[in-house]
Each structure stands twice: as C-alpha cells, then as structure tokens.
Amino acid sequence: MILIKAALTLLCLIATLWGAMAFYYQFPHPSARALVAGAWVVLGLSSSLALWGWPKPAMALFGSCFLLQLLWWHSITPRADRDWAPEVAQLATGHYSGDWATLDHVRNFNWRSLDDYDVRWERRQYDLSTLQSVDMLLSEWGVKGIAHVLVSFGFTNGDYLTFSVEIRKERDEKFSEYGGFFKQFEASIIAADERDIVRVRTNIRKETVGLYRVNLSPDARRALFIAYINHANQLARAPAFYNTLTANCTTVVYEMLQKIVGGIPLDYRLLLSAYLPEYLHRLGATAQGVGIIALREQGAINARAQAAAGADDFSAQIRRGVPGVD
C-alpha cells in the first residue's frame, strides 16, 4: 500500500509541475498566469499530502481537475493569423516538376542591425539536376550543448539555398526553451539566401557558426530538398506547434533523412545539437580522413563571414578551407 501511495504521489507531483508550467505559458489571460499556476501548485501539493490520509477523495479531486486541464490543453491549437515578426511573416512554399523546383517566399533580407533591415521576399527557381552539395550549419548562442541547425543546398552555378526550421515568433516575442515545450510557438520553415540567414547570425547576432559538408548521394540530396518543400507546404496548409523536444530544428531533419536514407541511429546528440559534428563524424557522413578537431577548427566561419560582409560571393568565401568543399 505504501508503494502504491508513493507512486501516486510521484505522479501527482509530476502532473502538478507540468500543469503549473502549462498554465504559466498558456493561460489565456497573461496577467493572471502566475496566480493560476500558483493556485495549481497549491492544489497539487495539497492533494499529494492528502493521498497519505484520504487517498480516494484526494485522487478524485485532483484527477477531476487534471482531466479538465487536459481538455483545456487539447483545445489549444496552432494558428496562422497572429501578428508575426517580420522575419517569419511569410512561410516558404514551393512546387516541383521534373528537374525544376520553384520556391515562393525565399527570404533575402539585408541586415544592418537587428532593428534595421530591408524586407525582401523572393520567388526563386532551382535546377535540381545541378544540385551538388549539402552542408550543415550549427549556430551557437551561449547555451551549452545547444545549437540551431540549418541545412544549405549548393548548386553548380554557385547558388545556395538554406532551410531552417524555426519558431514562428510573434512581433516582439522572444524565444524560450521552456515555452517551446508548452505550445508557446508555432513552427515555420524558412527558405533563405545565405547572405541573409547565415550573415545575420555571424555578423549581426555574433553567434558562433560552424559549417560542415555532409556526404549524401545525389539521390538523397534531391530527396531531402523535396522533403523540405513538402514539409514547408504542409506547415503552410496546417499550422503546427514547435516543440523543443520532439519537433525542433534537429528532429525534423532527422525524421526526413530517416525516411530517405534509413538506419540512422538515435543518439543523445540529436537533442544536444552542438555535438552533432561528432555524431556525423562517427557515422562517416563528414569529410573522409579529417579528424573532428580539424573539422571544427576549419569549419568555423565567423571570421570569414565577417570579412565577406555583403560580398556577392559570400557563400564561396565562408567555405574556403572547409573540409570536403572543393
């Protein structure tokens, strides 16, 4: 009986913690969120203590309240009609026929600072028969073990198109790792020119960015490009929530590649994404014969990106010396 009560108490405490966070991030009246979350904590702790003296009433009360909370939680659905931040105001969409792919809403902002930029959304066409490379970029901003993952496709004419799975922020909204667990953000796929999406990280935000050439067969490269288009179209049709754990910038790419290549092992570095170079190196997906230390040192692009600034050949300059790039 004691073990059963202990297990119920643990479940009650877990539900209390989750419920408090859910109310804190999603209760419809922001000014009352802390108060409602606090009241939920009081209810949960009181029920946990009552389980040891009056288990049936405590279970009935807390269980009923938790069921109501779950019904409320299920009613929170993603939306497409919020006041979005300018850099995610448009979602990438596209279509393809034969070797040609057309992308709408390709972002090509000219960033002078985080608050000063030219807004440019473009339609671009790509010949998939000339798709010759796939690069992974990792952007770190000071949270140990965590990096944002971008995937960039290179073509024989020197063009590069970068895809990024990102939160779709509202205007003046800031990213929260914890909020990403609790339906705070919708998900978006941004397709962008590297002079926008890479340069804003290296030159404007001063994040630490590494670039790594990924070994994929021509068929896999093409399939991954098309998978991004399909996923982008799906998000445009049916909004979905970003989730820090299950639907983020790394796991979405992993799921697409798993369908294309198959047999890719799960690993803790899919969550601690700053260590993805070691993961790819172990899988043999990086430049052959190059150690991980050299991969990281030669893949660090910040200095080259800052020197290239707004150069037309920005993409070529940031790749100079990167292992695996001819």
Side-chain angles (χ1 to χ4, degrees), residues 104-117:
D104 288 313
H105 309 135
V106 175
R107 204 180 76 190
N108 188 22
F109 285 23
N110 178 34
W111 298 87
R112 289 174 290 273
S113 73
L114 289 177
D115 302 314
D116 183 16
Y117 47 82

Side-chain angles (χ1 to χ4, degrees), residues 165-224:
V165 179
E166 302 189 1
I167 65 167
R168 198 177 189 192
K169 295 189 302 182
E170 296 179 60
R171 194 180 299 272
D172 300 323
E173 189 175 34
K174 297 189 181 300
F175 177 66
S176 163
E177 292 89 350
Y178 300 112
F181 287 104
F182 295 97
K183 298 185 177 182
Q184 186 173 4
F185 309 108
E186 279 80 7
S188 67
I189 286 187
I190 300 298
D193 191 294
E194 287 190 339
R195 287 167 294 186
D196 170 344
I197 204 164
V198 176
R199 192 167 65 89
V200 72
R201 287 170 164 79
T202 55
N203 297 25
I204 306 300
R205 299 182 192 168
K206 306 297 183 183
E207 297 175 4
T208 301
V209 180
L211 188 149
Y212 306 90
R213 177 58 49 92
V214 180
N215 297 329
L216 285 176
S217 70
D219 287 344
R221 291 195 294 261
R222 182 188 182 104
L224 183 59

Side-chain angles (χ1 to χ4, degrees), residues 61-302:
L61 174 62
F62 188 77
S64 299
C65 292
F66 189 58
L67 178 60
L68 290 173
Q69 186 185 47
L70 290 178
L71 291 173
W72 160 75
W73 182 255
H74 185 68
S75 71
I76 302 172
T77 56
R79 293 169 48 184
D81 58 348
R82 303 185 193 276
D83 182 18
W84 305 114
E87 65 270 26
V88 290
Q90 303 289 343
L91 295 180
T93 57
H95 62 273
Y96 48 90
S97 178
D99 285 333
W100 285 95
T102 301
L103 274 294
D104 288 313
H105 309 135
V106 175
R107 204 180 76 190
N108 188 22
F109 285 23
N110 178 34
W111 298 87
R112 289 174 290 273
S113 73
L114 289 177
D115 302 314
D116 183 16
Y117 47 82
D118 300 320
V119 175
R120 295 192 300 231
W121 297 97
E122 301 171 352
R123 167 177 278 195
R124 294 188 178 185
Q125 286 191 315
Y126 298 91
D127 182 356
L128 298 182
S129 70
T130 67
L131 177 58
Q132 69 172 359
S133 66
V134 175
D135 295 316
M136 178 186 72
L137 295 106
L138 295 181
S139 185
E140 300 179 56
W141 61 93
V143 180
K144 185 173 177 57
I146 303 299
H148 183 72
V149 178
L150 306 95
V151 175
S152 195
F153 294 85
F155 296 83
T156 55
N157 64 356
D159 286 346
Y160 286 86
L161 180 70
T162 303
F163 287 100
S164 177
V165 179
E166 302 189 1
I167 65 167
R168 198 177 189 192
K169 295 189 302 182
E170 296 179 60
R171 194 180 299 272
D172 300 323
E173 189 175 34
K174 297 189 181 300
F175 177 66
S176 163
E177 292 89 350
Y178 300 112
F181 287 104
F182 295 97
K183 298 185 177 182
Q184 186 173 4
F185 309 108
E186 279 80 7
S188 67
I189 286 187
I190 300 298
D193 191 294
E194 287 190 339
R195 287 167 294 186
D196 170 344
I197 204 164
V198 176
R199 192 167 65 89
V200 72
R201 287 170 164 79
T202 55
N203 297 25
I204 306 300
R205 299 182 192 168
K206 306 297 183 183
E207 297 175 4
T208 301
V209 180
L211 188 149
Y212 306 90
R213 177 58 49 92
V214 180
N215 297 329
L216 285 176
S217 70
D219 287 344
R221 291 195 294 261
R222 182 188 182 104
L224 183 59
F225 191 95
I226 290 173
Y228 266 109
I229 294 177
N230 290 336
H231 196 78
N233 289 341
Q234 180 181 346
L235 281 179
R237 289 191 302 267
F241 284 116
Y242 182 96
N243 187 285
T244 303
L245 183 63
T246 61
N248 57 48
C249 62
T250 306
T251 59
V252 169
V253 181
Y254 171 81
E255 289 171 2
M256 289 191 290
L257 278 172
Q258 189 69 279
K259 293 177 181 178
I260 295 167
V261 179
I264 305 174
L266 285 170
D267 193 279
Y268 72 92
R269 287 166 288 201
L270 294 169
L271 297 179
L272 296 178
S273 47
Y275 304 113
L276 278 173
E278 285 79 2
Y279 174 67
L280 293 177
H281 184 258
R282 182 173 69 84
L283 294 177
T286 56
Q288 298 299 300
V290 182
I292 188 60
I293 294 176
L295 279 174
R296 281 194 170 275
E297 289 178 349
Q298 296 169 39
I301 67 169
N302 280 63

